[in-house]
Amino acid sequence: MVAHGPRRLVSLRSLLVRGAQAVAADDTPDHHVDRPYAWTHDDGSLTLAPEVEALDRTRVTQCALSRVCGVCAEPLRRPVAFVGTDEERARNAFHAPPLHQVCADALVVRREVAGAWTVTTTSGFEFVRPGRDEPETRPTFQPNSLL
Amino acid sequence: MAISDVAEYAHLTDEEVEQLGRELDAIRAEVEESRGPADAAYIRRVIRAQRLMMVASRVVMAVSAHDDRTRKPGAIAGGTVLGLAKILENMEIGHNVMHGQWDWMNDPEIHSSNWEWDTAQPAEQWKHSHNYIHHQFTNVLGHDNDVGYGVLRMAREQKWTPVSLGQPVYNALLAGLFQWGVALHDLDLERIRKMEKDPKELRRQLKQIYKKGSRQALKDYVVYPAMAGKHWRTTLAANAWANFMRNMWSYVIIFCGHFPDGALHFTEEELEDETRAEWYLRQILGAANFKGGPLLHVMSGNLGFQIEHHLFPDLPSNRYAEISVKVRALCEKYDIPYTTGPLPVQYGQALRTIMKLSLPNGMTSSNSPNPPPPEQENMIPLDRRRKSESERPTRREETGSWSRTARGAS
Amino acid sequence: MANGGTLTWEKVRRAGRHLTTPLLPDDYLTLLNPLWSSRELRGRVEKVVPETDDAATIVIRPGWGWRFEHHPGQYVGIGVDVGGKFHWRSYSVSSPPKRTGRTLAITVRAMPEGFVSSHLVNGLEPGTIVRLATPAGDFTLPEPPPQRLLFLVGGSGVTPVMSMLRTLDRRGHLDDRDVVVHYSSTSRERMIFRDELESLEARHAGLAVQQRYTDDEGILDVPGGALDGVCADWRERETWACGPGPMLDALEAHWTEAGLEERLHLERFSLDLGGEGGEGGTVYFQNSGKEATVDGATTVLEAGESAGVGMPYGCRMGICHTCTLTLVKGRVRDLRTGEDFDQPNEPVQTCVTAPVGDCTLNI
């Protein structure tokens, strides 16, 4: 018993430390502006670029329907923000999924996309799947109540 | 029989499918452009009525509890109104608001981002399991967990095991405890059973469910009964009755949406490179409506227009009735089956399927219409398992932290 | 509600949530009175008082959670339901802050093509519930106010100044301070708060109000030294100015030239033009076939409105992007940052950009 005492204490402490780490790890978001969710693929690879091909197709659909942010994957808030090129904004159809306003603001100043995108905010949006005869091959988001 | 080629099943050429898609686009555009004050007034009226019912039921129960003559009728009446209020909140308000049907109003108090509904499941998990998994992969075996809720065998393609013999019992339990079934829905019991679930995700989701579920249970089974003092048992029973009513009703409505005969199941090949028009077609074939008066439709969240809801999940629910007239005409024009019938018949068919599929396939016959036999050289063996994490198109692991702060603090 | 009461109420509210979860007690209390909610700041329109043909004061009774702590001169966000949708705009508060106050007032001029301002002036029924945002803005009076003040006002820029004057009046400062108001408006009829200003002036020795009708007299020629004729000791005064952009630009230049810019407080009315202006030019509106020749301080939006083009706009301060149009060719400058936009088919925010030479827009 005596011999085991200290050892058990040590293991108890390491257990506590590990437990604390696990709890802390819980709170670390897996996705943030350096690893935007909708631009990251299932294999962990990531290309952040203004082009639509950079987006992960299934994650875009998921963000659209689950109503979570395409950067941090947390539930959306109001207003909903979209990032897009001037062309996307002019025709009111965006490729990138809905974002939090803060996530969008942080995303557009990133080196890879700087200058290409601006932020548009809305309360609601329509999720429009691509049609066969349309030039679009990806779904688009059409804000319906711009702010 | 699960369908592996929707267009072929419906005997439509690619061009016809696209034409159908354009006509459905036009219906959608028309509703989008005409959304206005009347629609906004509708949802506000429903919300107001629902809240008044909620208050009335609690008041009736509280007041009637203190007199021996009124206690029992008060509990029955109060509990029933409470049940109706919960049904209205879950079906016509919560479900539809969380789809984003009312986001266009730019009203921070009626918005998909912060609506929390009166049931044990956290809104955030519902938006994942229902809005995404169920609506994107509608009736696709191995993807859509709504097919039997991970408990029931609902399609002949799903493997039969002796466990299936207990289906009538599981079904009754699922119906009576439906809110808790829904609460655990996004956990994906099948994956937990197979130890495929990310423990971190599981822990986070359980924490959310615990927080929300305990608040709900505390309200109905502790706080309100405690306020009734020595007659706490009556209030507790009335609240349990209200929750039971809501559970039974939402179970029936949900099972009527996709499991009557005629609503089809699909295989995974359908999902690859699906165009908008093909997606529309799959939604029509995979859903089933039921008929009824305006009151029945409101109390079922307009999910009697399940086909229309699946075509346009984010258009305001009060418009589904008018949309259904047009969609039905389109279905006749293109000779596509439009499954509908009276509610008891539709549920009866779903129930018959549950009973039949508790037995091995060889002992029962299918009630679904038969698709044309697939050409031999193209035949791909069906994968009957539910998909694991890595096999799914994407199964988001992060669900974020559901909390009341966003809603309560402001 | 007293402060102690609020504290207790918060506790009651928190406890009440156990009864109302997942909603808040507020959600049920609004069934009794729509103002009994602090989930969102709300207010009820008590009355709409016409000020001129196209301007009205809207008196609002705020609901729970509102603190009557705005500083005179600040603006407030107001969300109104038009056609089932909530639209948000900001307007200066024209009522003085009062701790015992029950209402707040904003004064709005209906702008052509501005459907929210038109709705506020002409379509708002008393009893309507509106949403409110907390007051903001730093165009305010210091406490205590300086001995000598000058207010230079153009058009509906009078609203924040009115709030300041009413506060000065209530605290007795219109008698113990020296206050000069120079108020320009196109005509006597269009002058908002004219009667009230005249009556204030009659009652208080310390207040002098000068009215100027620019249709007859033209605008005050500040660069030409006309200010000396209006208020000879303007250099010794703390000055607050609110009005159209070009007027404020001229004032800013004049004060800077005199080395007194820190004594001038400006409310840029709806947008903050920190950058330099454009060069001006002719703006062509492709689809409508109209055009307008404007100076470099006039925004493309104002140019379009002056030419009678149905220009879209929202916040008029470069935030909401409602006004964005495609610049077909030419160059415009963002008046806030000085940044130029000249790519073909580039979307531009018309409310904060001015033409640099001739340009064409697709409206």
Side-chain angles (χ1 to χ4, degrees):
Chain A
M1 279 302 280
V2 174
H4 286 137
R7 208 184 294 161
R8 193 186 290 159
L9 257 178
V10 169
S11 69
L12 197 71
R13 194 190 301 148
S14 74
L15 217 92
L16 281 173
V17 168
R18 252 185 294 158
Q21 281 167 344
V23 169
D26 241 6
D27 297 333
T28 335
D30 295 321
H31 289 280
H32 44 83
V33 72
D34 293 331
R35 274 192 79 67
Y37 182 70
W39 285 266
T40 310
H41 304 286
D42 282 353
D43 60 8
S45 66
L46 161 72
T47 12
L48 182 59
E51 287 75 35
V52 58
E53 290 76 23
L55 285 159
D56 184 275
R57 208 179 166 133
T58 46
R59 290 191 176 196
V60 168
T61 306
Q62 183 195 0
C63 292
L65 298 179
S66 292
R67 302 191 111 73
V68 294
C69 170
V71 167
C72 66
E74 297 279 327
L76 288 170
R77 304 231 173 81
R78 209 191 64 94
V80 175
F82 286 99
V83 294
T85 60
D86 295 338
E87 192 199 332
E88 287 179 294
R89 197 163 79 192
R91 53 175 199 159
N92 199 45
F94 297 88
H95 288 112
L99 309 173
H100 292 132
Q101 191 155 18
V102 284
C103 291
D105 289 340
L107 193 64
V108 291
V109 297
R110 294 223 19 198
R111 188 175 37 79
E112 298 93 322
V113 294
W117 283 338
T118 46
V119 181
T120 303
T121 58
T122 176
S123 175
F125 60 85
E126 317 294 343
F127 176 59
V128 182
R129 294 177 165 81
R132 190 195 61 172
D133 300 335
E134 292 162 16
E136 285 296 342
T137 55
R138 300 281 191 131
T140 55
F141 299 88
Q142 302 178 0
N144 62 22
S145 39
L146 290 172
L147 298 174
Chain B
M1 188 69 203
I3 309 302
S4 56
D5 188 324
V6 168
E8 188 192 349
Y9 173 80
H11 309 286
L12 295 177
T13 65
D14 282 2
E15 189 41 51
E16 283 169 334
V17 173
E18 289 304 313
Q19 182 56 35
L20 168 70
R22 282 191 285 273
E23 299 202 45
L24 287 166
D25 281 345
I27 294 175
R28 176 197 179 94
E30 199 184 311
V31 175
E32 273 173 20
E33 276 156 30
S34 61
R35 277 184 301 216
D39 302 288
Y42 168 80
I43 191 65
R44 298 215 167 95
R45 205 162 55 230
V46 172
I47 290 175
R48 190 179 165 81
Q50 188 271 335
R51 288 178 186 172
L52 285 170
M53 281 164 71
M54 194 67 114
V55 173
S57 66
R58 302 285 191 194
V59 168
V60 164
M61 282 192 268
V63 171
S64 64
H66 300 287
D67 187 317
D68 287 344
R69 281 169 308 161
T70 58
R71 189 175 315 121
K72 207 162 178 187
I76 292 170
T80 305
V81 175
L82 180 62
L84 293 173
K86 280 175 182 264
I87 286 170
L88 195 55
E89 201 281 340
N90 289 181
M91 312 292 285
E92 179 65 350
I93 304 171
H95 166 264
N96 292 335
V97 169
M98 286 189 290
H99 263 295
Q101 292 184 2
W102 302 100
D103 285 5
W104 60 273
M105 296 198 301
N106 191 21
D107 184 341
E109 293 184 11
I110 308 174
H111 198 269
S112 64
S113 62
N114 61 3
W115 193 271
E116 195 51 74
W117 59 342
D118 189 6
T119 181
Q121 188 180 41
E124 184 191 327
Q125 292 186 26
W126 172 259
K127 283 184 273 185
H128 181 255
S129 66
H130 177 83
N131 288 10
Y132 174 50
I133 300 285
H134 171 62
H135 272 270
Q136 177 68 8
F137 307 110
T138 314
N139 283 16
V140 177
L141 300 176
H143 287 273
D144 183 359
N145 293 344
D146 277 25
V147 181
Y149 274 68
V151 190
L152 300 179
R153 178 170 177 254
M154 293 305 294
R156 303 185 82 79
E157 288 73 20
Q158 288 170 318
K159 197 180 163 196
W160 183 87
T161 64
V163 177
S164 307
L165 285 170
Q167 287 222 131
V169 179
Y170 315 150
N171 180 54
L173 286 172
L174 180 65
L177 299 169
F178 198 59
Q179 77 158 321
W180 300 102
V182 172
L184 304 178
H185 193 202
D186 200 31
L187 294 176
D188 203 340
L189 299 177
E190 182 118 354
R191 275 170 55 220
I192 296 175
R193 205 157 56 212
K194 292 185 179 156
M195 312 278 282
E196 287 169 356
K197 180 104 176 176
D198 174 19
K200 183 174 160 188
E201 179 196 359
L202 181 62
R203 199 164 49 235
R204 186 145 43 185
Q205 288 189 325
L206 281 172
K207 223 188 270 174
Q208 282 188 344
I209 295 169
Y210 174 77
K211 228 164 130 184
K212 174 85 191 281
S214 60
R215 243 186 230 126
Q216 290 290 118
L218 196 70
K219 171 181 72 167
D220 282 339
Y221 299 122
V222 178
V223 178
Y224 278 105
M227 284 169 65
K230 65 179 179 187
H231 303 296
W232 60 272
R233 275 191 202 84
T234 316
T235 304
L236 190 137
N239 288 351
W241 160 240
N243 280 316
F244 178 74
M245 262 176 78
R246 184 271 317 273
N247 289 352
M248 288 302 286
W249 183 250
S250 40
Y251 154 82
V252 166
I253 297 303
I254 287 188
F255 272 69
C256 279
H258 299 286
F259 306 118
D261 304 342
L264 302 176
H265 296 134
F266 308 100
T267 60
E268 215 173 333
E269 293 87 77
E270 264 315 307
L271 295 176
E272 292 295 319
D273 296 319
E274 192 178 49
T275 68
R276 182 161 78 244
E278 288 163 351
W279 185 82
Y280 279 145
L281 185 57
R282 180 159 62 87
Q283 301 304 320
I284 295 177
L285 297 177
N289 282 8
F290 60 78
K291 296 174 186 165
L295 186 64
L296 177 66
H297 282 307
V298 169
M299 293 311 284
S300 53
N302 278 297
L303 292 180
F305 302 109
Q306 187 77 227
I307 296 173
E308 288 72 21
H309 173 57
H310 266 265
L311 285 170
F312 311 114
D314 44 15
L315 290 185
S317 59
N318 60 326
R319 297 297 195 90
Y320 286 155
E322 62 179 74
I323 296 173
S324 75
V325 178
K326 298 175 187 169
V327 170
R328 191 156 192 180
L330 278 181
C331 285
E332 272 165 32
K333 180 174 160 190
Y334 290 90
D335 198 20
I336 307 167
Y338 183 92
T339 310
T340 186
L343 180 61
V345 174
Q346 300 300 88
Y347 177 67
Q349 292 177 353
L351 190 63
R352 182 174 60 189
T353 302
I354 294 170
M355 297 305 163
K356 274 190 170 184
L357 293 187
S358 64
L359 299 171
N361 284 352
M363 297 172 70
T364 58
S365 60
S366 169
N367 294 97
S368 288
N370 279 323
E375 289 171 36
Q376 286 305 312
E377 63 267 32
N378 291 341
M379 194 146 146
I380 303 158
L382 279 176
D383 185 358
R384 286 163 193 174
R385 290 181 305 123
R386 288 159 65 85
K387 295 292 171 291
S388 73
E389 178 89 344
S390 57
E391 289 165 314
R392 271 168 208 269
T394 244
R395 181 73 169 174
R396 201 184 129 235
E397 291 167 18
E398 317 69 14
T399 53
S401 53
W402 176 80
S403 74
R404 291 184 47 115
T405 46
R407 177 179 167 75
S410 58
Chain C
M1 203 176 297
N3 271 339
T6 315
L7 244 176
T8 325
W9 163 241
E10 262 314 304
K11 275 184 203 151
V12 172
R13 189 164 170 254
R14 259 204 302 278
R17 270 163 62 164
H18 288 295
L19 298 174
T20 60
T21 184
L23 297 177
L24 297 172
D26 310 38
D27 295 313
Y28 291 98
L29 290 167
T30 52
L31 297 173
L32 298 172
N33 182 336
L35 298 185
W36 290 354
S37 170
S38 51
R39 175 196 280 280
E40 293 284 325
L41 291 174
R42 294 157 173 243
R44 183 173 52 222
V45 175
E46 297 279 277
K47 52 186 173 178
V48 179
V49 187
E51 296 288 350
T52 66
D53 284 350
D54 59 354
T57 292
I58 297 157
V59 181
I60 297 167
R61 186 191 184 99
W64 287 359
W66 182 267
R67 306 198 193 291
F68 286 88
E69 285 170 355
H70 71 268
H71 299 288
Q74 284 192 309
Y75 55 84
V76 68
I78 172 169
V80 284
D81 182 341
V82 188
K85 253 186 209 191
F86 274 97
H87 297 265
W88 287 85
R89 296 290 184 274
S90 290
Y91 293 102
S92 291
V93 181
S94 51
S95 57
K98 270 191 254 179
R99 220 155 272 136
T100 56
R102 283 285 171 268
T103 59
L104 95 149
I106 56 168
T107 303
V108 179
R109 167 158 282 161
M111 308 298 276
E113 313 292 337
F115 76 102
V116 173
S117 60
S118 301
H119 177 81
L120 286 170
V121 172
N122 304 314
L124 209 55
E125 293 290 329
T128 306
I129 300 297
V130 295
R131 300 282 162 81
L132 299 170
T134 41
D138 50 13
F139 184 69
T140 53
L141 282 178
E143 193 58 46
Q147 277 306 314
R148 290 199 280 179
L149 303 89
L150 170 61
F151 293 101
L152 296 170
V153 179
S156 47
V158 71
T159 47
V161 171
M162 204 61 225
S163 176
M164 294 180 181
L165 289 173
R166 286 171 180 163
T167 307
L168 291 171
D169 175 29
R170 205 165 43 81
R171 298 190 185 156
H173 292 319
L174 289 184
D175 296 307
D176 64 12
R177 299 290 199 275
D178 175 358
V179 182
V180 174
V181 178
H182 182 82
Y183 183 4
S184 298
S185 177
T186 48
S187 66
R188 192 173 157 79
E189 290 67 41
R190 299 234 322 151
M191 197 167 253
I192 303 171
F193 299 130
R194 192 190 64 228
D195 293 345
E196 184 176 351
L197 284 167
E198 284 172 356
S199 121
L200 272 181
E201 186 184 22
R203 278 188 287 125
H204 298 289
L207 176 67
V209 180
Q210 308 168 1
Q211 301 179 11
R212 184 183 188 92
Y213 311 124
T214 54
D215 278 355
D216 306 331
E217 307 167 58
I219 59 167
L220 189 68
D221 183 13
V222 175
L227 205 53
D228 295 314
V230 166
C231 178
D233 59 350
W234 61 270
R235 289 177 187 78
E236 280 90 62
R237 287 173 184 265
E238 207 66 25
T239 301
W240 281 264
C242 184
M247 164 188 151
L248 300 185
D249 292 339
L251 293 176
E252 198 167 25
H254 200 60
W255 257 256
T256 308
E257 201 177 302
L260 294 168
E261 58 269 33
E262 75 282 358
R263 306 207 67 178
L264 177 68
H265 310 274
L266 296 178
E267 175 74 323
R268 288 248 173 221
F269 213 35
S270 44
L271 75 120
D272 182 22
L273 307 178
E276 31 184 306
E279 292 161 12
T282 301
V283 187
Y284 298 95
F285 301 93
Q286 188 173 268
N287 302 352
S288 54
K290 293 178 175 162
E291 60 177 77
T293 305
V294 295
D295 61 27
T298 306
T299 62
V300 176
L301 175 61
E302 289 162 348
E305 287 173 341
S306 73
V309 181
M311 302 286 282
Y313 75 86
C315 65
R316 299 186 85 98
M317 53 208 289
I319 293 172
C320 73
H321 296 275
T322 309
C323 66
T324 300
L325 293 176
T326 304
L327 176 68
V328 180
K329 63 173 191 235
R331 177 190 297 251
V332 296
R333 184 166 295 160
D334 189 323
L335 294 171
R336 298 166 301 178
T337 60
E339 189 186 350
D340 282 2
F341 298 89
D342 56 359
Q343 297 303 307
N345 294 322
E346 185 160 22
V348 293
Q349 286 176 272
T350 60
C351 75
V352 288
T353 52
V356 184
D358 297 351
C359 61
T360 305
L361 288 126
N362 75 332
I363 186 167

